[in-house]
């Protein structure tokens, strides 16, 4: 990280929304485990952050499905199931392809 103490604050302010700001913060506090930080290392870190976000959202959706139960309106249940399927596919792509799956 640059020696400028305000760097993180400026990056967060430039972020377009809270999701990106959270990602910036998460990346900023992640310890660097490599001797050199390159594109591969950065890609690996991004994949891990995305996977955590996907897994968190999958758990939220599964909770929503449980609350809806079997008697939920079909179109509402279908929308929730579709989002779950899309997220699971994205997570699998990230696990299989790494940064190329972003």
């Amino acid at each position: 990280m640059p020696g400028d103490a305000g760097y993180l604050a400026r990056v967060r302010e430039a972020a377009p929304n809270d999701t990106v700001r959270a990602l910036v913060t998460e990346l900023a506090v992640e310890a660097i485990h490599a001797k050199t930080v390159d594109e591969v290392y950065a890609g690996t870190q991004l994949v891990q952050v995305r996977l955590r976000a996907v897994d968190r959202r999958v758990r939220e959706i599964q909770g929503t499905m449980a609350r809806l139960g079997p008697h939920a309106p079909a179109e509402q249940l279908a929308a929730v199931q579709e989002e779950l399927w899309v997220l699971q596919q994205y997570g699998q792509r990230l696990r299989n392809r790494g940064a190329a799956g972003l």
Side-chain angles (χ1 to χ4, degrees):
M1 183 144 171
D4 182 359
Y7 177 76
L8 179 59
R10 288 193 310 275
V11 171
R12 285 181 46 83
E13 287 172 11
N17 57 49
D18 287 340
T19 302
V20 175
R21 279 186 280 284
L23 177 64
V24 167
T25 300
E26 195 165 342
L27 288 172
V29 298
E30 179 69 33
I32 297 177
H33 302 290
K35 290 184 181 190
T36 59
V37 176
D38 58 8
E39 189 175 305
V40 173
Y41 179 80
T44 300
Q45 295 306 309
L46 281 173
V47 166
Q48 292 306 311
V49 169
R50 290 275 175 96
L51 278 172
R52 285 193 298 267
V54 167
D55 291 343
R56 185 173 34 249
R57 183 65 184 140
V58 163
R59 286 190 304 274
E60 290 171 1
I61 293 170
Q62 288 170 334
T64 298
M65 286 180 63
R67 285 188 297 281
L68 287 174
H71 304 295
E75 60 191 37
Q76 186 179 15
L77 191 55
V80 172
Q81 288 172 331
E82 173 69 17
E83 183 180 359
L84 179 60
W85 183 83
V86 168
L87 282 168
Q88 288 172 330
Q89 295 300 308
Y90 180 56
Q92 191 60 46
R93 217 171 35 250
L94 288 172
R95 286 177 184 87
N96 292 340
R97 299 179 58 210
L102 291 171

